[in-house]
Amino acid sequence: MKLSVVIPAYNEEESITHTLVSLHTTLNKYNIPHEICVTNDNSKDGTLRVLDELSLRIPTLVYYTNPGPNGFGYAVRYGLERFKGDCVAVFMADMSDDPEDLAKYYFKMLEGDYDCVFGSRWEKGGKVIDYPALKKFINRIANFIVRIVMGIKYNDTTNAFKLYKRETIEGIKPFLAPHFNLTIELPLKAMVRGYNYAVVPNSWTNRKYGESKLKIKEMGSRYFFILMYCLIEKYFSQGDFMKKTSAPKKEVSR
């Protein structure tokens, strides 16, 4: 099963080399067939130049420049429309996600034939390093609200680092969220539409370079909009968007 890794990148000149080299090295170590698909989200720094240079060193790297509209959600969606693999992960350009965790996701998906594999930084075995206190507080409140409203047990919906089969991605379209609220749209739609999933503990490390693109004060209403959309679909769509399952083959007597 070929793995695609979609990475949105905006002004990540200082981080992108370490991220892509580490990712490529790790996936090769586990003999995972893959492509690394970076969406340069109209960066204003030298991100595109660095990608040009890295493409000479990393044969599995493909990259695009999103002409606009721009934003985290748009950049991820740009990659999700172009990946070539059988499954696809969303991975952060700032190396906050661990490539070793991605390998765990991949083998978990193979092991159980899951439609999705979700990470959790808050389950046993998960961890966060240098997580800002205010951001952590807001994260736990937001995830608590999502759990209560949607009636789910999964405790890290806002974690963008997840793995989906190609069929799952096709089954949860069209995408609505243009910003970081895409991080909850993808898993909540997958749950509502009947796709199965496994949860794997993962780690998160605060970026060493640059600044976070997530602006908390701008995101509250956007997260709420997607949450309400998924809630309405769950109870009022009459199952119109549910995962299509193949009918069992009929035995023919001879």
PDB file of all heavy atoms in Angstrom, residues 101 104-105 119-129 155-156 159 199-204:
ATOM      1  N   ASP A 101       6.015   7.925  14.400  1.00  0.00           N
ATOM      2  CA  ASP A 101       4.589   7.738  14.639  1.00  0.00           C
ATOM      3  C   ASP A 101       3.854   7.442  13.338  1.00  0.00           C
ATOM      4  O   ASP A 101       2.912   6.640  13.315  1.00  0.00           O
ATOM      5  CB  ASP A 101       3.983   8.976  15.302  1.00  0.00           C
ATOM      6  CG  ASP A 101       4.409   9.142  16.751  1.00  0.00           C
ATOM      7  OD1 ASP A 101       4.692   8.121  17.405  1.00  0.00           O
ATOM      8  OD2 ASP A 101       4.453  10.285  17.224  1.00  0.00           O
ATOM      9  N   LYS A 104       4.029   3.897  12.580  1.00  0.00           N
ATOM     10  CA  LYS A 104       3.091   3.148  13.427  1.00  0.00           C
ATOM     11  C   LYS A 104       1.677   3.232  12.861  1.00  0.00           C
ATOM     12  O   LYS A 104       0.937   2.235  12.838  1.00  0.00           O
ATOM     13  CB  LYS A 104       3.110   3.699  14.859  1.00  0.00           C
ATOM     14  CG  LYS A 104       4.416   3.492  15.601  1.00  0.00           C
ATOM     15  CD  LYS A 104       4.356   4.151  16.970  1.00  0.00           C
ATOM     16  CE  LYS A 104       5.695   4.076  17.689  1.00  0.00           C
ATOM     17  NZ  LYS A 104       5.654   4.809  18.985  1.00  0.00           N
ATOM     18  N   TYR A 105       1.275   4.422  12.416  1.00  0.00           N
ATOM     19  CA  TYR A 105      -0.043   4.593  11.804  1.00  0.00           C
ATOM     20  C   TYR A 105      -0.191   3.637  10.615  1.00  0.00           C
ATOM     21  O   TYR A 105      -1.209   2.955  10.455  1.00  0.00           O
ATOM     22  CB  TYR A 105      -0.211   6.017  11.273  1.00  0.00           C
ATOM     23  CG  TYR A 105      -0.432   7.120  12.259  1.00  0.00           C
ATOM     24  CD1 TYR A 105      -0.122   7.000  13.608  1.00  0.00           C
ATOM     25  CD2 TYR A 105      -0.938   8.341  11.827  1.00  0.00           C
ATOM     26  CE1 TYR A 105      -0.318   8.048  14.484  1.00  0.00           C
ATOM     27  CE2 TYR A 105      -1.141   9.391  12.691  1.00  0.00           C
ATOM     28  CZ  TYR A 105      -0.826   9.251  14.019  1.00  0.00           C
ATOM     29  OH  TYR A 105      -1.017  10.297  14.876  1.00  0.00           O
ATOM     30  N   GLY A 119      -4.233   9.841  15.551  1.00  0.00           N
ATOM     31  CA  GLY A 119      -3.291   9.966  16.651  1.00  0.00           C
ATOM     32  C   GLY A 119      -3.944  10.600  17.866  1.00  0.00           C
ATOM     33  O   GLY A 119      -4.918  11.344  17.747  1.00  0.00           O
ATOM     34  N   SER A 120      -3.422  10.284  19.036  1.00  0.00           N
ATOM     35  CA  SER A 120      -3.851  10.956  20.262  1.00  0.00           C
ATOM     36  C   SER A 120      -2.629  11.289  21.105  1.00  0.00           C
ATOM     37  O   SER A 120      -1.859  10.397  21.468  1.00  0.00           O
ATOM     38  CB  SER A 120      -4.817  10.087  21.074  1.00  0.00           C
ATOM     39  OG  SER A 120      -5.117  10.733  22.310  1.00  0.00           O
ATOM     40  N   ARG A 121      -2.489  12.551  21.388  1.00  0.00           N
ATOM     41  CA  ARG A 121      -1.382  13.003  22.224  1.00  0.00           C
ATOM     42  C   ARG A 121      -1.692  12.861  23.700  1.00  0.00           C
ATOM     43  O   ARG A 121      -0.809  13.039  24.540  1.00  0.00           O
ATOM     44  CB  ARG A 121      -1.073  14.479  21.907  1.00  0.00           C
ATOM     45  CG  ARG A 121      -0.626  14.711  20.482  1.00  0.00           C
ATOM     46  CD  ARG A 121      -0.731  16.175  20.068  1.00  0.00           C
ATOM     47  NE  ARG A 121      -2.136  16.580  19.920  1.00  0.00           N
ATOM     48  CZ  ARG A 121      -2.506  17.779  19.468  1.00  0.00           C
ATOM     49  NH1 ARG A 121      -1.589  18.674  19.134  1.00  0.00           N
ATOM     50  NH2 ARG A 121      -3.789  18.081  19.339  1.00  0.00           N
ATOM     51  N   TRP A 122      -2.942  12.496  24.029  1.00  0.00           N
ATOM     52  CA  TRP A 122      -3.392  12.533  25.421  1.00  0.00           C
ATOM     53  C   TRP A 122      -3.708  11.168  25.982  1.00  0.00           C
ATOM     54  O   TRP A 122      -4.119  11.055  27.132  1.00  0.00           O
ATOM     55  CB  TRP A 122      -4.625  13.448  25.515  1.00  0.00           C
ATOM     56  CG  TRP A 122      -4.434  14.729  24.768  1.00  0.00           C
ATOM     57  CD1 TRP A 122      -5.001  15.090  23.590  1.00  0.00           C
ATOM     58  CD2 TRP A 122      -3.558  15.805  25.114  1.00  0.00           C
ATOM     59  NE1 TRP A 122      -4.554  16.324  23.191  1.00  0.00           N
ATOM     60  CE2 TRP A 122      -3.666  16.793  24.101  1.00  0.00           C
ATOM     61  CE3 TRP A 122      -2.695  16.048  26.191  1.00  0.00           C
ATOM     62  CZ2 TRP A 122      -2.954  17.981  24.129  1.00  0.00           C
ATOM     63  CZ3 TRP A 122      -1.979  17.236  26.213  1.00  0.00           C
ATOM     64  CH2 TRP A 122      -2.109  18.183  25.199  1.00  0.00           C
ATOM     65  N   GLU A 123      -3.540  10.114  25.180  1.00  0.00           N
ATOM     66  CA  GLU A 123      -3.716   8.763  25.689  1.00  0.00           C
ATOM     67  C   GLU A 123      -2.393   8.238  26.238  1.00  0.00           C
ATOM     68  O   GLU A 123      -1.332   8.814  26.002  1.00  0.00           O
ATOM     69  CB  GLU A 123      -4.235   7.844  24.570  1.00  0.00           C
ATOM     70  CG  GLU A 123      -5.648   8.160  24.136  1.00  0.00           C
ATOM     71  CD  GLU A 123      -6.327   6.977  23.476  1.00  0.00           C
ATOM     72  OE1 GLU A 123      -5.660   5.958  23.240  1.00  0.00           O
ATOM     73  OE2 GLU A 123      -7.537   7.084  23.207  1.00  0.00           O
ATOM     74  N   LYS A 124      -2.458   7.117  26.947  1.00  0.00           N
ATOM     75  CA  LYS A 124      -1.246   6.502  27.475  1.00  0.00           C
ATOM     76  C   LYS A 124      -0.290   6.197  26.327  1.00  0.00           C
ATOM     77  O   LYS A 124      -0.665   5.569  25.344  1.00  0.00           O
ATOM     78  CB  LYS A 124      -1.597   5.209  28.222  1.00  0.00           C
ATOM     79  CG  LYS A 124      -0.401   4.540  28.868  1.00  0.00           C
ATOM     80  CD  LYS A 124      -0.815   3.288  29.633  1.00  0.00           C
ATOM     81  CE  LYS A 124       0.394   2.623  30.277  1.00  0.00           C
ATOM     82  NZ  LYS A 124       0.010   1.381  31.011  1.00  0.00           N
ATOM     83  N   GLY A 125       0.951   6.662  26.465  1.00  0.00           N
ATOM     84  CA  GLY A 125       1.929   6.493  25.411  1.00  0.00           C
ATOM     85  C   GLY A 125       2.110   7.731  24.561  1.00  0.00           C
ATOM     86  O   GLY A 125       3.108   7.865  23.856  1.00  0.00           O
ATOM     87  N   GLY A 126       1.149   8.638  24.600  1.00  0.00           N
ATOM     88  CA  GLY A 126       1.269   9.899  23.877  1.00  0.00           C
ATOM     89  C   GLY A 126       1.980  10.939  24.730  1.00  0.00           C
ATOM     90  O   GLY A 126       2.074  10.806  25.956  1.00  0.00           O
ATOM     91  N   LYS A 127       2.491  11.991  24.108  1.00  0.00           N
ATOM     92  CA  LYS A 127       3.165  13.038  24.870  1.00  0.00           C
ATOM     93  C   LYS A 127       3.239  14.329  24.068  1.00  0.00           C
ATOM     94  O   LYS A 127       3.134  14.324  22.838  1.00  0.00           O
ATOM     95  CB  LYS A 127       4.582  12.596  25.264  1.00  0.00           C
ATOM     96  CG  LYS A 127       5.516  12.359  24.088  1.00  0.00           C
ATOM     97  CD  LYS A 127       6.910  11.952  24.566  1.00  0.00           C
ATOM     98  CE  LYS A 127       7.841  11.694  23.384  1.00  0.00           C
ATOM     99  NZ  LYS A 127       9.213  11.325  23.821  1.00  0.00           N
ATOM    100  N   VAL A 128       3.397  15.422  24.781  1.00  0.00           N
ATOM    101  CA  VAL A 128       3.625  16.724  24.167  1.00  0.00           C
ATOM    102  C   VAL A 128       4.881  17.324  24.791  1.00  0.00           C
ATOM    103  O   VAL A 128       5.148  17.136  25.980  1.00  0.00           O
ATOM    104  CB  VAL A 128       2.422  17.671  24.354  1.00  0.00           C
ATOM    105  CG1 VAL A 128       1.201  17.143  23.606  1.00  0.00           C
ATOM    106  CG2 VAL A 128       2.094  17.868  25.822  1.00  0.00           C
ATOM    107  N   ILE A 129       5.653  18.021  23.973  1.00  0.00           N
ATOM    108  CA  ILE A 129       6.903  18.633  24.417  1.00  0.00           C
ATOM    109  C   ILE A 129       6.847  20.124  24.133  1.00  0.00           C
ATOM    110  O   ILE A 129       6.599  20.543  22.993  1.00  0.00           O
ATOM    111  CB  ILE A 129       8.113  17.996  23.687  1.00  0.00           C
ATOM    112  CG1 ILE A 129       8.168  16.494  23.980  1.00  0.00           C
ATOM    113  CG2 ILE A 129       9.416  18.668  24.100  1.00  0.00           C
ATOM    114  CD1 ILE A 129       9.184  15.739  23.147  1.00  0.00           C
ATOM    115  N   ASN A 155     -10.380  11.570  21.913  1.00  0.00           N
ATOM    116  CA  ASN A 155     -10.100  12.776  22.693  1.00  0.00           C
ATOM    117  C   ASN A 155      -9.107  13.752  22.058  1.00  0.00           C
ATOM    118  O   ASN A 155      -8.615  14.644  22.734  1.00  0.00           O
ATOM    119  CB  ASN A 155      -9.575  12.378  24.078  1.00  0.00           C
ATOM    120  CG  ASN A 155      -8.237  11.650  24.008  1.00  0.00           C
ATOM    121  OD1 ASN A 155      -7.680  11.411  22.937  1.00  0.00           O
ATOM    122  ND2 ASN A 155      -7.711  11.276  25.170  1.00  0.00           N
ATOM    123  N   ASP A 156      -8.812  13.589  20.761  1.00  0.00           N
ATOM    124  CA  ASP A 156      -7.841  14.496  20.139  1.00  0.00           C
ATOM    125  C   ASP A 156      -8.233  14.810  18.694  1.00  0.00           C
ATOM    126  O   ASP A 156      -7.421  14.730  17.774  1.00  0.00           O
ATOM    127  CB  ASP A 156      -6.435  13.878  20.182  1.00  0.00           C
ATOM    128  CG  ASP A 156      -5.325  14.918  20.069  1.00  0.00           C
ATOM    129  OD1 ASP A 156      -5.635  16.132  20.079  1.00  0.00           O
ATOM    130  OD2 ASP A 156      -4.153  14.534  19.958  1.00  0.00           O
ATOM    131  N   ASN A 159      -6.186  17.264  16.505  1.00  0.00           N
ATOM    132  CA  ASN A 159      -4.857  16.834  16.067  1.00  0.00           C
ATOM    133  C   ASN A 159      -4.897  16.591  14.558  1.00  0.00           C
ATOM    134  O   ASN A 159      -5.578  15.693  14.078  1.00  0.00           O
ATOM    135  CB  ASN A 159      -4.479  15.550  16.817  1.00  0.00           C
ATOM    136  CG  ASN A 159      -3.094  15.050  16.492  1.00  0.00           C
ATOM    137  OD1 ASN A 159      -2.362  15.629  15.703  1.00  0.00           O
ATOM    138  ND2 ASN A 159      -2.716  13.938  17.108  1.00  0.00           N
ATOM    139  N   VAL A 199      -7.020   4.203  17.008  1.00  0.00           N
ATOM    140  CA  VAL A 199      -6.319   5.325  17.650  1.00  0.00           C
ATOM    141  C   VAL A 199      -4.945   4.853  18.109  1.00  0.00           C
ATOM    142  O   VAL A 199      -4.823   3.824  18.778  1.00  0.00           O
ATOM    143  CB  VAL A 199      -7.118   5.875  18.846  1.00  0.00           C
ATOM    144  CG1 VAL A 199      -6.350   7.010  19.523  1.00  0.00           C
ATOM    145  CG2 VAL A 199      -8.501   6.352  18.396  1.00  0.00           C
ATOM    146  N   VAL A 200      -3.923   5.614  17.750  1.00  0.00           N
ATOM    147  CA  VAL A 200      -2.537   5.300  18.101  1.00  0.00           C
ATOM    148  C   VAL A 200      -1.949   6.487  18.875  1.00  0.00           C
ATOM    149  O   VAL A 200      -2.075   7.631  18.421  1.00  0.00           O
ATOM    150  CB  VAL A 200      -1.692   5.036  16.834  1.00  0.00           C
ATOM    151  CG1 VAL A 200      -0.225   4.844  17.188  1.00  0.00           C
ATOM    152  CG2 VAL A 200      -2.225   3.820  16.081  1.00  0.00           C
ATOM    153  N   PRO A 201      -1.342   6.260  20.034  1.00  0.00           N
ATOM    154  CA  PRO A 201      -0.703   7.375  20.750  1.00  0.00           C
ATOM    155  C   PRO A 201       0.401   7.994  19.893  1.00  0.00           C
ATOM    156  O   PRO A 201       1.146   7.279  19.211  1.00  0.00           O
ATOM    157  CB  PRO A 201      -0.108   6.704  21.992  1.00  0.00           C
ATOM    158  CG  PRO A 201      -0.857   5.421  22.136  1.00  0.00           C
ATOM    159  CD  PRO A 201      -1.203   4.984  20.749  1.00  0.00           C
ATOM    160  N   ASN A 202       0.486   9.317  19.909  1.00  0.00           N
ATOM    161  CA  ASN A 202       1.546   9.985  19.149  1.00  0.00           C
ATOM    162  C   ASN A 202       2.129  11.127  19.971  1.00  0.00           C
ATOM    163  O   ASN A 202       1.556  11.545  20.988  1.00  0.00           O
ATOM    164  CB  ASN A 202       1.032  10.494  17.804  1.00  0.00           C
ATOM    165  CG  ASN A 202       0.198  11.752  17.912  1.00  0.00           C
ATOM    166  OD1 ASN A 202      -0.941  11.705  18.387  1.00  0.00           O
ATOM    167  ND2 ASN A 202       0.736  12.869  17.461  1.00  0.00           N
ATOM    168  N   SER A 203       3.252  11.615  19.537  1.00  0.00           N
ATOM    169  CA  SER A 203       3.915  12.713  20.239  1.00  0.00           C
ATOM    170  C   SER A 203       3.807  13.998  19.426  1.00  0.00           C
ATOM    171  O   SER A 203       3.595  13.970  18.204  1.00  0.00           O
ATOM    172  CB  SER A 203       5.388  12.379  20.498  1.00  0.00           C
ATOM    173  OG  SER A 203       6.093  12.257  19.281  1.00  0.00           O
ATOM    174  N   TRP A 204       3.948  15.109  20.107  1.00  0.00           N
ATOM    175  CA  TRP A 204       3.928  16.426  19.465  1.00  0.00           C
ATOM    176  C   TRP A 204       5.024  17.266  20.097  1.00  0.00           C
ATOM    177  O   TRP A 204       5.132  17.327  21.330  1.00  0.00           O
ATOM    178  CB  TRP A 204       2.568  17.095  19.664  1.00  0.00           C
ATOM    179  CG  TRP A 204       2.415  18.427  18.991  1.00  0.00           C
ATOM    180  CD1 TRP A 204       1.898  18.679  17.760  1.00  0.00           C
ATOM    181  CD2 TRP A 204       2.769  19.719  19.535  1.00  0.00           C
ATOM    182  NE1 TRP A 204       1.916  20.035  17.486  1.00  0.00           N
ATOM    183  CE2 TRP A 204       2.442  20.691  18.561  1.00  0.00           C
ATOM    184  CE3 TRP A 204       3.340  20.130  20.746  1.00  0.00           C
ATOM    185  CZ2 TRP A 204       2.659  22.053  18.772  1.00  0.00           C
ATOM    186  CZ3 TRP A 204       3.558  21.484  20.946  1.00  0.00           C
ATOM    187  CH2 TRP A 204       3.214  22.434  19.977  1.00  0.00           C
TER     188      TRP A 204
END
